[in-house]
């Protein structure tokens, strides 16, 4: 194993802070910010709760080990204990769920996220907002424990008052659990002639490919096929070639499929992960880049043109349940790491130069249970800081060579500990040269994809306007994460300084 040393420097402008903690009552396992302009204040959270069955009087009391596809599988890897397969459960288990819809209010400092709706139903395993309007509506897709994909639309009752209304349900199969779904458009801008599609996966190892009718919001089943011997934990599109989908299963296999051809044979099968593959996401900003995560506690980066070996491997010290690329910065990757909290990876060096390794500038450890749901908001606080530069000699005294540096920061939720690993690299992965003295500050809330132009293609941090000379741009990213047994949803922010212009 190769270890890389990185130059690291403490920066007073890099920190994380818990903004709000919400009790979801049921166990929280998925959270998604709406990506659509004009609706980015909406946040959805899905939950999973086992309803305990009353023992029958005429039978001896029996204890059943419920399979929660996320929690129990992680315990199997951690504790080497057996897990009941969904096909082997002798009596039906009632998996309840609740969908929460929240609204973010930038003008509220104490509780910026407020609940606007709760909807009880089946347990929710995964959900994603459609990145494009469908029939003029904002659509949320759910994968639930009854084996269904459900589409819901946002209805605005009055200004700043919303409701999710069910449009349709599509059953994937008999006696299965719907485990994941993905939209073909991802986070990227769709080409005009690209049809909208959906892929889903289930607990029996099958994948389900649908065409989405954007004129009347319907799902047309195109194909179903057996992809894995056990649970197909995850299915995801290649956002650049949407006829290609990837899948990961509890059999430890990562596979690729061309939906236009014979689905009896995958494009490739990789055994590079040593345990179940449960997270996959195509990079929406850079073509041919794929991130995968597994119970084996490794995050792998792949060039999809050569799937024999990954070009980057990061040991994360926790099973990787979810991966999310940043909505703007192509090299930042958010990971939900089950027993090891939430991590943000900086992947710039391996992505652009295929050398060195990804590193972890931020670890968010405030949750008290299994880390499952995670997402970036497309709303972001930008803070302009006019600085007076230090001399190079003075700045160099702040640079040292060390391993991974975890530095505690104060949090607005005082009962939680927040750890941040600070490095001498900013959002674009460039080493900053001086700290400087802040002279004035102004903060405002803007969408991430406004103000800097098209940042996603090779952005190096230079702001090409004269008025930004000698200005350091500080970006405060908003994130939402949720954890299972403590039924907790966190809103937190990561403030970091980007490249200084000159």
């Amino acid at each position: 194993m190769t270890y890389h040393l990185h130059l690291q420097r403490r920066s007073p402008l890099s920190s994380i802070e818990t903004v709000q903690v919400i009790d979801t009552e049921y166990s929280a396992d998925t959270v998604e910010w709406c990506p659509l302009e004009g609706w980015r204040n909406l946040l959805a959270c899905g939950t999973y709760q086992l309803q305990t069955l009353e023992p029958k009087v005429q039978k001896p009391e029996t204890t059943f080990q419920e399979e929660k596809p996320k929690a129990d599988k992680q315990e199997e890897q951690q504790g080497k204990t057996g897990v009941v397969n969904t096909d082997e459960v002798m009596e039906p288990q009632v998996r309840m769920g609740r969908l929460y819809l929240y609204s973010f209010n930038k003008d509220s400092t104490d509780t910026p996220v407020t609940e606007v709706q709760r909807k009880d139903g089946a347990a929710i395993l995964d959900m994603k907002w459609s990145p494009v309007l469908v029939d003029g509506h904002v659509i949320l897709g759910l994968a639930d424990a009854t084996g269904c994909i459900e589409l819901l639309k946002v209805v605005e009752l009055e200004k700043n008052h919303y409701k999710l209304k069910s449009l349709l349900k599509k059953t994937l199969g008999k006696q299965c659990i719907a485990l994941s779904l993905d939209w073909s458009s991802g986070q990227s801008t769709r080409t005009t002639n690209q049809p909208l599609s959906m892929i889903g996966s289930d607990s029996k190892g099958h994948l389900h490919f649908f065409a989405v009718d954007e004129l009347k919001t319907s799902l047309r089943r195109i194909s179903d096929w057996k992809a894995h011997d056990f649970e197909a934990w995850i299915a995801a599109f290649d956002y650049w070639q949407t006829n290609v989908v990837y899948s990961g299963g509890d059999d430890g296999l990562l596979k690729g499929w061309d939906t236009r051809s014979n689905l009896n044979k995958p494009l490739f099968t990789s055994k590079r992960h040593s345990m179940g593959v449960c997270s996959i996401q195509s990079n929406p900003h850079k073509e041919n880049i794929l991130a995968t995560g597994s119970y084996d506690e490794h995050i792998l980066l792949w060039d999809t043109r050569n799937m024999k070996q990954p070009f980057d491997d990061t040991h994360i010290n926790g099973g990787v349940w979810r991966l999310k690329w940043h909505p703007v910065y192509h090299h930042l990757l958010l990971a939900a790491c089950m027993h090891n909290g939430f991590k943000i990876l900086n992947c710039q060096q391996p992505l652009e130069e295929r050398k060195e390794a990804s590193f972890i500038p931020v670890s968010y450890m405030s949750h008290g249970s299994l880390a499952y749901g995670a997402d970036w908001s497309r709303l972001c606080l930008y803070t302009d800081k006019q600085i007076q530069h230090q001399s190079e000699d003075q700045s160099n005294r702040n640079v040292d060579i060390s391993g991974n540096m975890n530095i505690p920061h104060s949090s607005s939720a005082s009962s939680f500990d927040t750890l941040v690993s600070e490095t001498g690299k900013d959002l674009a992965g460039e080493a900053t040269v001086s700290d400087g003295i802040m002279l004035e500050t102004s903060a405002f809330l803007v969408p991430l994809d406004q103000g800097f132009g098209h940042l996603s293609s090779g952005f190096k941090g230079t702001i090409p306007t004269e008025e930004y000379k000698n200005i350091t741009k500080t970006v405060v990213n908003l994130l939402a994460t949720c954890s299972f047994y403590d039924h907790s949803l966190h809103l937190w922010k990561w403030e970091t300084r980007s490249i200084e212009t000159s």
Side-chain angles (χ1 to χ4, degrees):
M1 182 177 295
T2 302
Y3 295 91
H4 297 276
L5 291 177
H6 299 280
L7 287 176
Q8 297 192 334
R9 179 175 57 80
R10 296 185 181 185
S11 169
L13 298 180
S14 179
S15 64
I16 54 179
E17 180 184 348
T18 301
V19 176
Q20 188 175 350
V21 177
I22 297 171
D23 184 351
T24 58
E25 299 179 9
Y26 287 179
S27 299
D29 60 358
T30 179
V31 61
E32 296 283 327
W33 288 97
C34 184
L36 292 169
E37 186 173 356
W39 302 89
R40 292 172 178 169
N41 60 308
L42 295 182
L43 176 67
C45 180
T47 64
Y48 181 115
Q49 190 75 20
L50 173 67
Q51 183 180 25
T52 304
L53 299 178
E54 293 292 334
K56 297 178 181 179
V57 177
Q58 67 271 27
K59 290 184 178 182
E61 185 172 331
T62 305
T63 300
F64 294 98
Q65 185 178 12
E66 156 69 356
E67 185 208 16
K68 169 61 178 75
K70 301 176 181 181
D72 288 356
K73 279 294 178 181
Q74 172 62 12
E75 290 183 7
E76 178 184 18
Q77 309 303 336
Q78 294 286 332
K80 309 301 181 184
T81 59
V83 177
V84 176
N85 187 279
T86 50
D87 294 331
E88 298 172 352
V89 177
M90 300 304 294
E91 292 191 15
Q93 302 288 329
V94 181
R95 301 177 180 90
M96 300 174 60
R98 179 176 294 154
L99 172 63
Y100 289 96
L101 183 65
Y102 299 98
S103 179
F104 176 80
N105 181 1
K106 65 182 178 61
D107 297 320
S108 177
T109 56
D110 294 332
T111 55
V113 170
T114 56
E115 180 183 332
V116 295
Q117 184 189 8
R118 60 174 62 189
K119 188 175 185 295
D120 288 335
I124 300 168
L125 282 295
D126 192 20
M127 62 183 181
K128 289 183 177 69
W129 296 94
S130 169
V132 296
L133 293 174
V134 180
D135 191 21
H137 298 296
V138 179
I139 300 295
L140 178 66
L142 302 182
D144 72 26
T146 64
C148 291
I149 296 291
E150 181 178 8
L151 299 187
L152 303 99
K153 71 175 181 180
V154 175
V155 178
E156 187 170 13
L157 303 176
E158 53 185 273
K159 188 175 181 181
N160 297 325
H161 288 79
Y162 312 94
K163 181 180 179 180
L164 282 166
K165 181 180 179 181
S166 182
L167 289 175
L168 64 89
K169 279 192 175 185
K170 206 77 168 181
T171 302
L172 299 186
K174 295 181 180 179
Q175 296 181 336
C176 71
I177 298 174
L179 296 177
S180 76
L181 64 89
D182 196 20
W183 301 88
S184 60
S185 52
Q187 299 175 6
S188 57
T189 302
R190 222 168 22 134
T191 57
T192 305
N193 60 351
Q194 184 185 50
L196 184 61
S197 305
M198 176 183 283
I199 190 73
S201 69
D202 69 34
S203 58
K204 290 192 173 182
H206 288 83
L207 300 189
H208 307 265
F209 183 58
F210 297 95
V212 181
D213 188 332
E214 299 180 64
L215 298 180
K216 55 182 181 181
T217 318
S218 66
L219 293 178
R220 179 169 58 91
R221 193 184 303 268
I222 302 298
S223 53
D224 301 272
W225 68 100
K226 180 76 169 178
H228 297 271
D229 290 335
F230 305 107
E231 291 90 344
W233 293 120
I234 188 72
F237 280 97
D238 185 321
Y239 296 146
W240 300 85
Q241 302 180 67
T242 56
N243 56 287
V244 174
V245 296
Y246 305 104
S247 64
D250 202 52
D251 51 13
L253 301 179
L254 169 66
K255 296 184 180 184
W257 309 88
D258 188 335
T259 57
R260 302 168 299 180
S261 62
N262 185 357
L263 294 171
N264 292 325
K265 183 179 180 181
L267 294 172
F268 68 86
T269 298
S270 173
K271 299 180 180 179
R272 181 59 172 75
H273 283 293
S274 60
M275 292 182 181
V277 179
C278 40
S279 52
I280 301 173
Q281 194 178 46
S282 171
N283 190 312
H285 311 298
K286 289 182 73 71
E287 192 173 2
N288 303 316
I289 301 299
L290 187 72
T292 64
S294 166
Y295 291 124
D296 66 8
E297 304 183 346
H298 286 261
I299 294 174
L300 305 181
L301 298 184
W302 304 81
D303 185 324
T304 56
R305 295 165 295 186
N306 178 14
M307 293 298 293
K308 293 181 179 179
Q309 287 293 331
F311 63 84
D312 189 58
D313 182 345
T314 304
H315 186 212
I316 212 76
N317 292 314
V320 186
W321 184 253
R322 279 293 174 263
L323 291 170
K324 294 286 185 69
W325 290 104
H326 195 285
V328 173
Y329 298 101
H330 70 276
H331 61 287
L332 293 179
L333 183 62
L334 174 63
C337 304
M338 295 184 176
H339 281 277
N340 198 29
F342 298 89
K343 313 291 182 186
I344 296 174
L345 276 68
N346 186 319
C347 309
Q348 177 151 353
Q349 290 298 317
L351 281 179
E352 298 190 356
E353 302 180 24
R354 297 297 193 270
K355 66 179 184 180
E356 296 192 5
S358 298
F359 66 94
I360 303 171
V362 171
S363 296
Y364 184 76
M365 304 297 290
S366 293
H367 286 270
S369 181
L370 295 173
Y372 281 134
D375 200 16
W376 305 90
S377 171
R378 280 182 174 266
L379 294 174
C380 185
L381 286 167
Y382 288 101
T383 305
D384 286 338
K385 298 182 186 294
Q386 182 77 33
I387 66 168
Q388 175 181 324
H389 293 289
Q390 295 175 326
S391 69
E392 185 175 351
D393 289 341
Q394 183 178 358
S395 175
N396 286 341
R397 287 197 294 268
N398 293 328
V399 179
D400 64 355
I401 297 178
S402 63
N404 191 28
M405 188 186 306
N406 287 320
I407 304 168
H409 286 258
S410 60
S411 167
S412 59
S414 58
S415 61
F416 295 90
D417 294 325
T418 301
L419 298 179
V420 59
S421 171
E422 296 184 341
T423 74
K425 298 192 177 185
D426 53 17
L427 276 175
E430 302 280 343
T432 52
V433 296
S434 61
D435 281 335
I437 302 171
M438 186 171 64
L439 299 181
E440 57 180 297
T441 300
S442 62
F444 51 98
L445 189 72
V446 298
L448 272 173
D449 52 4
Q450 295 182 12
F452 286 169
H454 189 61
L455 303 183
S456 61
S457 56
F459 175 64
K460 296 294 183 181
T462 303
I463 304 171
T465 55
E466 189 67 29
E467 61 197 270
Y468 281 99
K469 296 293 185 180
N470 300 319
I471 296 288
T472 293
K473 181 69 67 174
T474 296
V475 180
V476 183
N477 293 274
L478 298 176
L479 300 97
T481 52
C482 64
S483 48
F484 196 71
Y485 292 119
D486 59 348
H487 37 85
S488 183
L489 169 65
H490 288 213
L491 179 71
W492 53 283
K493 59 184 182 180
W494 169 38
E495 179 178 357
T496 186
R497 186 172 60 193
S498 64
I499 286 184
E500 299 170 2
T501 62
S502 58

